[in-house]
Amino acid sequence: MTTIIPVLVLVGMILLSVVRRRWYSQMIQYMDAEDDKSALKLADRLVRVGLPDSSKHYNRALVLMRLNQIDRALQDLKRAVNLASDNTGIRRVYADVLISNHQYDEALLQYNYCINFDPTNPSGYLSRANLSIRREDAASAKGDIQTVEAIVAEGQLKAEKFALYMDGQSRHDYAYSIQGMKALIHMVRLEFESAIAIFDALIEHYVKDSWSYSGRGETYFMMGNYEQALADFEYAAEIRLESRKRDLLGRYEHIEPLAGKAIALFKLGQVDEAKELWQKVLEDEPRAQDLAWLVHQLNWKLLLHQAAQELQSYE
């Protein structure tokens, strides 16, 4: 009898593991089918069953973000961080969501932790630089970028890749991330020609780089070149609409350039077309009704903010 009990326990653990894997697979399938409510039911079930695990809370947070339940997602991410305090990847995602919720000071604490935990890893510096740019602190961003360049120059990276969150784009190498950040720093400083030069080089080197097209479109917009801005936003939206993917924070990747295109059309006097496109934006992303949310997607520039206000209030 004493030998049967451990065997039964082992069999039960194996069966539970199989069931959990099946639930997880089904949850991913629901997310792919954009049935996020069904995905959340399975994510809840996974959290309730078995021992506490950071990945369970992390995965549920991803589903909650797709449902725009940011406060609950932050609770799960905080729990995931507490369960795996040395997992800087989860910690950086936590910080990214804090930024989307405008909790910049708390996000900075998380990035600082990542940097202190491993000062030779550029990821924390790049993420912190991105936060500094959003706060229009070009000096701090420049300091972090210089640190990354020094680490790269010392050859400590080998062939490692870095998934810097840049409006939902996929993995790029560190050289790309550094140049992209430099372009954004120039935008903050209103050094538009320098920003354009970097975006031009990135577009020439990387095929279908929607992030650089969108960034260059915003730069042209701030220069008052609405026709070129429209062309860049249009191409960026076309690339992203091919897949209609969501980024890590649950947002459709095509919303940002599509909203930029609508605003550029409005500034060019094509009001009816702009309003029609704006309705398509709202159909895919009702959160765009909130200007604070929208401007966060379109980076942080006042000209875009003002144009969005004009478009949204136009009768």
Side-chain angles (χ1 to χ4, degrees):
M1 186 68 178
T2 55
T3 58
I4 294 177
I5 293 176
V7 171
L8 291 175
V9 171
L10 179 60
V11 170
M13 291 175 63
I14 293 173
L15 289 175
L16 182 59
S17 177
V18 171
V19 169
R20 284 205 303 260
R21 285 199 295 269
R22 183 175 299 172
W23 287 346
Y24 177 77
S25 177
Q26 288 176 339
M27 182 189 75
I28 297 300
Q29 290 175 12
Y30 281 132
M31 291 175 70
D32 289 342
E34 301 206 359
D35 185 357
D36 297 324
K37 291 183 179 179
S38 296
L40 181 58
K41 290 179 181 178
L42 286 172
D44 286 337
R45 194 180 300 171
L46 285 165
V47 169
R48 288 194 301 266
V49 174
L51 297 173
D53 183 274
S54 62
S55 63
K56 297 177 185 178
H57 291 278
Y58 175 78
N59 290 326
R60 186 168 67 177
L62 298 183
V63 180
L64 288 167
M65 284 186 284
R66 292 165 67 100
L67 292 166
N68 199 29
Q69 297 185 33
I70 303 302
D71 290 339
R72 285 190 63 195
L74 284 171
Q75 292 174 9
D76 265 333
L77 286 170
K78 186 174 183 178
R79 178 65 171 154
V81 166
N82 290 336
L83 289 168
S85 60
D86 292 343
N87 189 323
T88 55
I90 291 178
R91 195 177 288 271
R92 284 198 303 273
V93 172
Y94 178 39
D96 289 341
V97 181
L98 286 167
I99 290 174
S100 74
N101 208 39
H102 311 295
Q103 296 174 242
Y104 297 137
D105 291 338
E106 178 61 29
L108 180 59
L109 292 176
Q110 301 304 320
Y111 291 142
N112 287 343
Y113 181 96
C114 294
I115 290 168
N116 292 332
F117 181 78
D118 184 2
T120 66
N121 188 333
S123 303
Y125 297 103
L126 283 166
S127 295
R128 189 169 68 179
N130 194 30
L131 173 57
S132 296
I133 290 170
R134 289 192 175 277
R135 303 177 87 165
E136 301 197 11
D137 182 358
S140 296
K142 182 179 179 181
D144 279 335
I145 294 302
Q146 288 174 338
T147 301
V148 173
E149 288 181 307
I151 295 173
V152 172
E154 291 172 7
Q156 297 179 13
L157 299 180
K158 299 181 181 178
E160 184 181 0
K161 298 289 186 178
F162 169 59
L164 173 65
Y165 175 71
M166 280 184 165
D167 296 325
Q169 294 306 287
S170 58
R171 287 180 181 271
H172 290 296
D173 56 34
Y174 281 99
Y176 176 95
S177 299
I178 290 170
Q179 292 305 310
M181 283 294 188
K182 285 184 175 180
L184 298 181
I185 290 171
H186 285 306
M187 288 172 68
V188 171
R189 291 176 169 174
L190 306 184
E191 298 166 354
F192 300 136
E193 294 296 341
S194 297
I196 292 292
I198 293 175
F199 285 129
D200 285 346
L202 289 173
I203 288 168
E204 183 178 353
H205 189 269
Y206 294 91
V207 178
K208 288 192 172 184
D209 180 18
S210 62
W211 183 85
S212 292
Y213 274 102
S214 189
R216 191 175 69 176
E218 292 187 25
T219 309
Y220 277 127
F221 188 98
M222 290 184 280
M223 296 171 70
N225 187 343
Y226 303 127
E227 290 185 355
Q228 186 60 55
L230 175 62
D232 279 345
F233 283 134
E234 190 167 33
Y235 188 64
E238 179 183 321
I239 294 171
R240 297 187 190 181
L241 278 167
E242 289 177 1
S243 60
R244 287 181 60 85
K245 290 181 180 178
R246 291 180 185 245
D247 63 26
L248 191 62
L249 303 190
R251 302 171 299 197
Y252 283 110
E253 294 180 3
H254 64 269
I255 291 299
E256 180 249 341
L258 207 63
K261 179 182 174 182
I263 294 168
L265 284 168
F266 180 78
K267 297 299 285 187
L268 287 167
Q270 301 177 44
V271 176
D272 291 338
E273 292 181 41
K275 289 183 68 179
E276 183 179 349
L277 184 57
W278 191 260
Q279 290 305 311
K280 292 181 181 178
V281 170
L282 295 179
E283 287 172 10
D284 276 345
E285 186 49 82
R287 288 177 289 186
Q289 289 279 13
D290 177 5
L291 277 178
W293 184 92
L294 175 64
V295 172
H296 184 78
Q297 317 316 307
L298 295 170
N299 289 322
W300 46 92
K301 299 317 265 177
L302 288 176
L303 280 175
L304 287 172
H305 187 181
Q306 292 166 358
Q309 284 181 315
E310 292 175 25
L311 176 59
Q312 202 169 55
S313 63
Y314 185 84
E315 297 297 336

